[in-house]
DNA sequence: ACAGAAATGTAGCCTCGGCTACATATCCGT
DNA sequence: ACGGATATGTAGCCGAGGCTACATTTCTGT
């Protein structure tokens, strides 16, 4: 076995930390986008619908919404629907665009649409701006 | 606003559930691959090195290794290094291949190598077999 | 060989994101 | 308008994955 001195600077640690940070953002993004979807479709986002579509129980959805409110992304009053703030709407819009871009790229390289949609749900949260830009460029030259 | 009856079967819920499942696998995969890397490089994987490279403190690494052992992926004895079981080695190999494939594809569509490496760390855990197959096919016809 | 350094183990705390169980409020049909 | 159905809120539990603080063991240099 090699007898290195083994003082490699933890550039990998940096990557893993970033990944963990992205993970904590992921749920916020998913809920925000879901709420935005519901508002577009029904004019409001009810806890029950959010929960059903996210595949969780309603107390879990309530907790998530509480976190969104804490982060300034959403507002709501007891027994009333949930709505997005300016900040939340902005995030929803960005997330939506990113999601579409990821799905489009996957399909463009030959991934079956159904798989593309499912995988994008997980992938989209870890795509950096640089990668997003590259995706857009690729799609432009390969329509 | 639309007045749907709104009985859409939660196909989205399915997707989010899958994403959550993948999430719980992600850490296992990362640690397994890391341990495999260390064994290749130094003949053993010490807790301190695992922790440093993963960017966590050593008790966190210890807990993760405990979980790996529970899942039958690794073995270790007190104050001795950590080693992979057959199961663990298999996972490490698959994860390694998948990681390489994801990075290669990202680079192939024009993502800068550094970003590709970082993003792949998060993306790789959410790529289905169907997508993986499509990636491989794409790389074959676009070298 | 032994003391100090370094590695590992262990205890206990936190947050998050799930859950169930139960309490309360709102909605809606008769 | 009222009562049952439905929606929402709240309390409390769990496991995962972080952390710090402290105890113990192993390693290492003189």
């Amino acid at each position: 076995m090699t007898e290195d001195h083994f003082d490699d600077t933890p550039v990998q640690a940096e990557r893993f930390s970033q990944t963990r940070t992205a993970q904590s953002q992921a749920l916020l993004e998913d809920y925000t986008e879901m709420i935005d979807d519901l508002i577009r479709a029904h004019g409001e986002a009810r806890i029950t619908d959010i929960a059903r579509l996210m595949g969780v129980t309603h107390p879990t959805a309530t907790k998530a919404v509480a976190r969104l409110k804490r982060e300034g992304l959403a507002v709501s009053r007891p027994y009333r629907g949930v709505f997005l703030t300016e900040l939340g709407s902005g995030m929803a819009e960005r997330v939506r665009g990113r999601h579409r871009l990821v799905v489009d790229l996957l399909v463009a390289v030959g991934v079956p649409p159904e798989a593309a949609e499912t995988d994008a749900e997980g992938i989209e949260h870890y795509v950096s701006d640089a990668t997003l830009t590259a995706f857009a460029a690729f799609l432009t030259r390969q329509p």
Side-chain angles (χ1 to χ4, degrees), chain A:
Chain A
M1 74 210 60
T2 54
E3 301 285 342
D4 316 355
H5 282 131
F6 204 179
D7 60 323
D8 41 313
T9 28
V11 12
Q12 325 202 28
E14 217 20 70
R15 287 203 242 274
F16 285 112
S17 294
Q18 283 182 233
T19 303
R20 281 193 296 272
T21 301
Q23 221 154 244
S24 84
Q25 269 277 108
L27 256 231
L28 265 345
E29 294 177 346
D30 284 338
Y31 276 95
T32 299
E33 187 179 7
M34 178 65 75
I35 290 168
D36 191 58
D37 283 348
L38 285 167
I39 291 174
R40 285 171 186 235
H42 305 94
E44 66 170 353
R46 290 150 72 242
I47 288 286
T48 299
D49 295 332
I50 296 171
R52 181 169 43 84
L53 293 171
M54 292 294 298
V56 299
T57 57
H58 85 266
T60 298
T62 301
K63 267 194 194 178
V65 168
R67 197 178 153 211
L68 291 186
K69 292 169 75 171
R70 245 186 293 138
E71 309 265 350
L73 295 165
V75 291
S76 77
R77 283 176 21 240
Y79 295 98
R80 248 67 242 191
V82 180
F83 299 91
L84 295 179
T85 61
E86 282 299 315
L87 198 63
S89 296
M91 170 179 282
E93 192 165 344
R94 269 177 287 116
V95 168
R96 182 183 308 281
R98 199 183 52 185
H99 180 86
R100 196 178 37 68
L101 199 48
V102 170
V103 171
D104 287 353
L105 181 113
L106 289 176
V107 170
V109 300
V111 176
E114 182 60 26
E117 197 59 52
T118 298
D119 291 10
E121 210 57 73
I123 291 175
E124 57 178 9
H125 304 289
Y126 303 93
V127 173
S128 64
D129 286 346
T131 296
L132 231 38
T133 303
F135 282 7
F138 178 84
L139 288 169
T140 298
R141 67 176 179 274
Q142 309 235 350

